[in-house]
Amino acid sequence: MLEAKCPECGRKAQVDDDMENVKCPQCGFTAKYDDYIEIMKGKAVMMSDDFQNSWDKNPF
Ligand SMILES: [Zn+2]
């Protein structure tokens, strides 16, 4: 069983052995693996935006 980071709660989610589905036992999040990748891509973009914003506001 592969592990993945849950996009909902940030804890450990589990990837099916066939890489079809991602399930998080902590919060109940489930998604197709392809959808999960898209979600995480979106999160990465948002996180870098947040980082950029806080950097602009508080450079130190
Ligand atoms: Zn979760």
Side-chain angles (χ1 to χ4, degrees):
M1 186 74 82
L2 288 167
E3 286 183 342
K5 186 168 176 151
C6 173
E8 289 291 321
C9 68
R11 284 180 280 182
K12 282 181 185 172
Q14 295 173 335
V15 184
D16 284 357
D17 288 337
D18 56 8
M19 304 290 280
E20 276 283 313
N21 295 290
V22 180
K23 286 179 195 166
C24 176
Q26 331 284 344
C27 71
F29 169 86
T30 60
K32 293 272 185 198
Y33 188 73
D34 288 346
D35 291 341
Y36 166 79
I37 295 296
E38 290 303 313
I39 292 166
M40 290 310 273
K41 277 186 197 164
K43 292 257 175 199
V45 170
M46 282 192 325
M47 277 186 234
S48 63
D49 282 351
D50 285 348
F51 179 77
Q52 197 64 51
N53 287 341
S54 59
W55 182 261
D56 288 345
K57 276 182 224 151
N58 185 9
F60 303 106

